[in-house]
């Protein structure tokens, strides 16, 4: 690899700003703009300036090396994609407003790829005909487009972004498990080399369909994901994937259920106050419609129903809230006083906290009346137990029972066993060893390449500015000429020597800029080591500063070059 | 740089085809598909398979290194761009149907960038405030979109393609000339390293507006550009940029102009036949309307008018052909019998071949009548001499007079002095040394990165298949296991040894594929050196073949490794 020339700040397109941009809400957005790494081109659409492009290229390189190391083959697919394959899998419609759609000059329908499952499936259908051609893992580092409703948080959630997406193709479940494991390990290496703090979290399937799935989450204030983290064991999960153990209890001593008059108590709050019981003693029954049929969802009165979880349980059926019209059509459903006992033609699902044997105060299906001592499994049947409550801080860890912590995080990677969903839709078979066609099973795996830059900025910044880990920094050393001609001459001399030895050098040779401004800028820009040609330049002595720790030491030119090239 | 693993063909996503794809018209399209480098995803939209992606990455690397070497700074701009800046320069409309336009979920207008002058101009407007910030050259290697009317020729002319585009920003014309010269030299190095045969051709401005411009053309049958090439001197030009020297002659001996009856001769052919003179003795007068005003264009009767040249001359005015209605409105214009002498209220432009003093047979502005001895400058005035004829093979070289050759070529690069067009539209000024604002002058420069791959395929292929130059080949050596277990074992052993020494290896380890098929595939794929483990594998002797020359020699394993790593 040829040595890159010394990058002089006097010529660099990287204007630093003293103030945070007005529209910036999160740290990485503020700092990446202020330090001259990125600029906004339109809502959620970003330009990478020279320093930003260097960091992005470093992340790309690490991702590429680790994908190559698991035998994945790099390809490059177009961003502009024809509608037909996305019709075949239903995603042309399912994606809704998030998909950028457009027409060509002949009126043909196209989309800007948000992810490429369909096209990879068709590629393998074209290229692979026999079991001998599998397994295969294909990847690309490519620009994706998603029309986010509220693009915010700078490059953390843009509408055009760079992603590594890969896809595995296997003959059977064991093969898929192995391709999945290869990715899991590659991702661990990628995020470790990037210097990211991350957790691997169990995830629900979401809109992709399929089975096993894990997310790589980088804890950060600015994150849009909430995850549950056990302070005792190594459990970590997307809150949608936290389960609660079903623990039946003995209800032998519970008296028979009994109606109690409770006038004007259509809410849990009014009920608990009138009876002088905690909300957790009551059973709340939320009514929804699933493909038009009424379903009641039972949870303790102090908990919220997570509608995403309800939707995920019934998918692909559509879940809606009940309306005024539904209560009119079903006079047996008394609004505010619904109870699961004696409900007719209503499917009843409940949170595992409503375990067999637990006793509840709940609606009596009569106005102004509740019932007490209503026991699950005795007075009513639960059709299915489903984890439907919003997880709260302190909920028990499903693995060890310790109270969970809830933290915010940035999703930086996602690995996913798709199974045969896409292969079924697009009829991807290969000829098996026995001469019969085998339907292929697939995985899909993503790393947010541009998002990883923002996640790194979030995690590593301090109150002075950005502070990059070595492998991704835009330079190895930031040389500062803190003074006039003498200092500039020395700074350039040492820069050239370092560059000749393969060190990537950014040198602040700007004339008419004070040492103070240069120091502030060097800390804002965040190159790991800062080498200052200052007061002792006449003695050919420089000061080497560690950007993170602030440790300093004085070195001669030769010592500095030796130190910085000894790696 | 980490050593890439040995690429085994048994696992490689690169199915070779025996037959040309049905829709392929040009050599590179046929071969790149047959050898498993690319696949069509939609009309003019391509997927790069692993071998293709490797070649593309090699071209990218060379372009990047040479751009870095002239001090250009790499950035990355979005493909999805807001409408406003393109409205400001008028290109939102000017681009016509070639621009992909779309709306986001809020109804905002966006486009897919066909080229990024506007956004780079705005970037520099944001980043540069003083003369000290210039000059600067910025570049990106990025995906471009153009909705070609007839996408054809495979990746030579796609609707989504990879391009290096760069932009220079200077304070004055001398600076622009220098940035232009830097690019010209960088492009020479790029195309030389790529191993492309190319010519630098003078070009007209085209739709970009501006002044000096040159094209880098790679001669190839499949090319869509025609250029004129002098077999004697180093003149080469886009045919639109070939000029003809104006050579006035002495008309002293020419008799006075005289009408001659020429019944039924409304065309040059009928006229020349009736009079028994060559078509070149007659003067053809084409009528057009320029912004609604009649203009006559005079050329020798044996030459065609190049309407593109007429349009370029009058741009931005609109040029249209005259209609029936125009002849009715102007009875003095006698269709088929128009002559420049005595024309009223008609601007007359002529090709330099109609030089002052030349005498012609031309229309007499009366039905069935022509005039002879009509002398330019004596009997009629030429308002402007403009090169308007279609250049033909054998036309004199403007530099040395030798008859020009006409060749077809692929445009692989274009360098362009834009001047202040975009800076004017978007008001890009910096503060000058005297404290007054200076309007910036720009250049724009492009290399077709994906197109260069096709151009290379066109120029280097032979009747056996692709044949890549070293720097861009998908591997350094293609090892072929021509036999059973013994040969495969030896092939893999030598492959690992080569890879460990940093050689990029593709090894054909496919089981159940005959040596003949493997040889054919290796020639189709076109890696420069082919190393065969064949009959003498038991003696640990391999055959090294040069893909281009076909030269072969037998080498031991150690000799082969030594030979292939000695570079």
């Amino acid at each position: 690899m040829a040595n890159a020339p010394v990058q002089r700040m006097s010529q660099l397109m990287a204007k630093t700003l003293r103030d945070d941009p007005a529209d910036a809400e999160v740290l990485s957005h503020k700092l990446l703009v202020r330090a001259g790494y990125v600029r906004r081109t339109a809502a959620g659409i970003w330009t990478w300036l020279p320093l930003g492009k260097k960091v992005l290229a470093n992340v790309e390189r690490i991702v590429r090396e680790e994908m190559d190391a698991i035998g994945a083959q790099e390809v490059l697919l177009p961003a502009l994609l024809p509608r037909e394959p996305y019709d075949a899998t239903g995603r042309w419609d399912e994606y809704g407003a998030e998909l950028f759609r457009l027409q060509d000059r002949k009126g043909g329908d196209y989309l800007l790829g948000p992810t490429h499952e369909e096209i990879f499936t068709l590629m393998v259908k074209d290229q692979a005909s026999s079991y001998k051609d599998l397994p295969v893992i294909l990847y690309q580092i490519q620009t994706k487009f998603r029309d986010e409703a509220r693009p915010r948080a700078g490059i953390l959630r843009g509408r055009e972004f760079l992603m590594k997406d890969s896809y595995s193709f296997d003959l059977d479940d064991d093969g898929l498990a192995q391709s999945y494991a290869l990715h899991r390990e590659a991702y661990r290496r990628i995020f470790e080399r990037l210097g990211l703090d991350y957790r691997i979290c169990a995830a629900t399937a979401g809109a992709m369909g399929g089975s096993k799935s894990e997310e790589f989450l980088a804890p950060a204030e600015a994150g849009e994901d909430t995850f549950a983290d056990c302070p005792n064991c190594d459990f970590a999960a997307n809150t949608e994937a936290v389960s609660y153990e079903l623990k039946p209890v003995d209800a032998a001593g519970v008296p028979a259920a009994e109606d109690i008059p409770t006038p004007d108590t259509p809410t849990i709050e009014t009920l608990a106050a009138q009876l002088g019981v905690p909300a957790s003693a009551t059973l709340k029954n939320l009514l929804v419609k699933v493909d038009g049929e009424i379903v009641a969802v039972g949870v303790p009165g102090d908990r919220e129903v997570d509608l995403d979880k309800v939707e995920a349980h019934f998918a692909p059926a559509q879940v809606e809230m009940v309306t005024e019209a539904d209560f009119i059509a079903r006079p047996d459903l008394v609004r505010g006083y619904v109870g699961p006992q004696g409900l007719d033609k209503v499917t009843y699902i409940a949170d595992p906290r409503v375990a067999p044997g637990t006793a509840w105060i709940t609606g009596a299906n009569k106005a102004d009346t509740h019932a007490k001592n209503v026991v699950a499994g005795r007075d009513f049947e639960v059709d299915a137990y489903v984890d439907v409550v919003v997880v709260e801080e302190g909920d028990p860890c499903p693995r060890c029972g310790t109270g969970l912590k809830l933290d915010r995080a940035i999703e930086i990677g996602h690995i996913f066993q798709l199974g045969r969903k896409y292969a079924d839709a697009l009829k991807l078979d290969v000829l098996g060893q026995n001469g019969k066609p085998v339907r292929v099973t697939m995985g899909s795996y993503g790393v947010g390449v541009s998002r990883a830059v923002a996640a790194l900025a979030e995690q590593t910044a301090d109150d002075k500015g950005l502070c990059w880990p070595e492998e991704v920094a835009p330079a190895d050393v930031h040389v500062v000429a803190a003074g006039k001609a003498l200092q500039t001459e020395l700074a350039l001399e040492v820069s050239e020597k370092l560059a000749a030895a393969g060190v990537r050098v950014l040198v602040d040779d700007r004339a008419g800029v004070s040492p103070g401004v240069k120091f502030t800028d060097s800390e804002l820009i965040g190159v790991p080591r800062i080498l200052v040609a200052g007061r002792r330049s006449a003695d050919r002595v420089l000061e080497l500063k560690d950007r993170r720790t602030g440790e300093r030491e004085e070195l001669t030119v030769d010592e500095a070059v030796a130190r910085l090239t000894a790696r």
Side-chain angles (χ1 to χ4, degrees), chain A:
Chain A
M1 190 156 53
N3 292 333
V6 168
Q7 181 65 63
R8 293 178 177 224
M9 279 191 65
S10 61
Q11 295 162 352
L12 187 66
M13 206 43 33
K15 187 163 130 185
T16 56
L17 305 174
R18 287 295 147 253
D19 298 313
D20 290 335
D23 61 339
E25 295 172 19
V26 303
L27 185 65
S28 56
H29 183 175
K30 291 172 189 169
L31 289 177
L32 289 170
V33 171
R34 279 186 47 207
Y37 283 68
V38 300
R39 280 293 185 277
R40 182 184 176 280
T41 299
I45 300 174
W46 292 86
T47 286
W48 294 81
L49 296 174
L51 290 177
K53 172 66 188 166
K54 282 178 205 283
V55 174
L56 191 67
N58 288 336
V59 175
E60 255 187 77
R61 177 179 42 76
I62 290 171
V63 170
R64 182 170 283 120
E65 285 173 2
E66 296 301 339
M67 291 306 298
D68 289 345
I70 62 167
Q73 298 174 43
E74 186 173 6
V75 296
L76 181 63
L77 272 63
L80 184 62
L81 302 174
R83 170 178 178 161
E84 292 71 21
Y86 286 77
D87 262 343
T89 62
R91 295 212 298 176
W92 174 266
D93 292 321
E94 273 170 26
Y95 252 112
E98 209 174 281
L99 194 67
F100 280 108
R101 297 174 182 84
L102 70 160
Q103 293 196 320
D104 72 357
R105 61 162 75 209
K106 289 175 180 161
D109 280 325
Y110 287 81
L111 59 104
L112 299 181
T115 166
H116 281 72
E117 279 78 3
E118 283 82 352
I119 312 297
F120 272 92
T121 306
L122 290 175
M123 184 200 295
V124 173
K125 187 172 172 171
D126 166 54
Q127 292 278 315
S129 49
S130 148
Y131 69 94
K132 292 185 216 161
D133 297 325
L134 300 187
V136 68
I137 298 173
L138 299 167
Y139 80 99
Q140 61 175 346
I141 297 176
Q142 191 254 6
T143 304
K144 300 277 185 280
F145 298 86
R146 286 181 203 165
D147 198 358
E148 298 283 348
R150 284 169 298 279
R152 52 172 289 275
I155 55 168
L156 264 185
R157 186 170 284 272
R159 298 200 289 171
E160 172 173 347
F161 53 97
L162 197 62
M163 194 169 146
K164 186 286 297 175
D165 49 329
S166 52
Y167 305 86
S168 65
F169 298 84
D170 282 280
L171 293 168
D172 53 33
D173 294 351
D174 283 354
L176 172 55
Q178 204 173 326
S179 295
Y180 184 90
L182 281 173
H183 274 90
R184 200 173 193 275
E185 279 313 299
Y187 279 31
R188 292 176 68 100
R189 283 192 296 271
I190 287 168
F191 297 127
E192 266 149 36
R193 283 181 65 185
L194 287 178
L196 275 168
D197 172 28
Y198 69 96
R199 301 294 301 263
I200 303 178
C201 294
T204 52
M208 292 275 212
S211 50
K212 188 169 180 189
S213 168
E214 286 167 300
E215 291 171 356
F216 289 72
L217 297 182
E221 265 309 304
E224 294 196 326
D225 284 30
T226 302
F227 77 109
D229 203 9
C230 179
N232 181 49
C233 74
D234 66 351
F235 177 81
N238 187 308
T239 52
E240 287 175 25
V242 172
S243 59
Y244 185 88
E245 195 190 347
L246 185 70
K247 288 168 285 191
V249 296
D250 184 3
V254 180
E258 178 188 344
D259 283 5
I260 46 175
T262 53
D264 297 328
T265 56
T267 65
I268 295 293
E269 291 69 32
T270 50
L271 175 66
Q274 191 174 102
L275 298 182
V277 298
S280 59
T282 71
L283 175 64
K284 179 159 71 177
N285 303 287
L286 179 79
L287 298 180
V288 296
K289 279 190 298 183
V290 177
D291 276 357
E293 298 294 318
I294 302 283
V295 170
V297 181
V299 301
D302 62 336
R303 303 302 298 245
E304 293 304 315
V305 173
D306 187 334
L307 278 173
D308 288 344
K309 290 181 170 181
V310 177
E311 282 175 7
H313 175 71
F314 286 109
Q318 290 292 309
V319 176
E320 301 165 279
M321 301 305 290
V322 292
T323 62
E324 191 66 38
D326 295 310
F327 282 107
I328 292 169
R330 289 285 301 261
D332 59 319
L333 301 175
V334 184
R335 184 183 291 189
Y337 299 92
V338 171
Q341 68 286 15
L343 270 188
D344 197 26
K345 285 187 275 181
V346 171
T347 300
Y348 193 72
I349 68 169
D351 188 75
R353 288 166 183 81
V354 191
T358 54
W360 304 91
I361 295 164
T362 191
N365 300 309
K366 286 182 274 199
D368 293 337
T369 313
H370 281 82
K372 65 177 182 182
N373 300 324
V374 180
V375 173
R378 182 188 78 179
D379 302 316
F380 65 91
E381 293 303 321
V382 173
D383 293 309
Y385 282 103
V386 185
D387 285 291
V388 289
V389 303
V390 173
V391 173
E392 292 174 8
E393 182 110 8
D395 276 354
C397 170
R399 198 165 297 158
C400 75
T402 307
L404 292 170
K405 277 181 58 205
L406 295 188
D407 284 312
R408 298 192 70 72
I410 298 162
E411 184 189 325
I412 47 174
H414 197 162
I415 55 179
F416 203 93
Q417 298 192 8
L418 287 175
R420 295 181 178 81
K421 173 180 160 145
Y422 292 91
D424 283 343
L426 298 164
K427 307 208 179 352
L428 170 58
D429 297 328
V430 293
L431 221 53
Q433 206 154 4
N434 60 3
K436 290 190 180 141
V438 177
R439 179 98 348 145
V440 171
T441 182
M442 293 169 54
S444 90
Y445 316 88
V447 170
V449 174
S450 42
R451 182 183 284 181
V453 175
L456 270 171
E458 289 285 339
Q459 286 191 342
T460 59
D462 59 22
D463 57 356
K464 300 191 189 71
L466 297 166
C467 190
W468 299 106
E470 297 204 5
E471 269 219 76
V472 298
D476 297 314
V477 58
H478 185 143
V479 179
V480 176
K484 308 265 177 183
L486 175 71
Q487 283 77 12
T488 302
E489 205 172 297
L490 185 65
L492 290 174
E493 179 198 327
V494 72
S495 294
E496 290 298 340
K497 281 186 172 154
L498 288 166
V503 177
R504 298 171 304 138
V505 180
L506 177 67
V507 56
D508 195 345
D509 62 332
R510 289 176 295 174
V513 175
S514 73
V517 167
K518 288 184 178 180
F519 293 144
T520 307
D521 278 348
S522 72
E523 289 179 321
L524 178 61
I525 288 170
V527 170
R529 280 169 296 277
I530 300 167
L531 186 63
V532 181
R535 277 167 302 128
R536 297 196 55 200
S537 290
D539 310 329
R540 298 179 62 75
V541 171
L542 304 113
E543 186 179 70
L544 181 63
K545 187 166 78 173
D546 184 289
R547 165 65 184 85
R548 176 160 302 286
T549 64
E551 280 172 54
R552 300 150 190 263
E553 61 181 313
E554 292 199 327
L555 297 169
T556 64
V557 168
D558 291 345
E559 286 168 347
V561 171
R563 175 76 59 86
L564 290 164
T565 54
R567 50 187 62 248

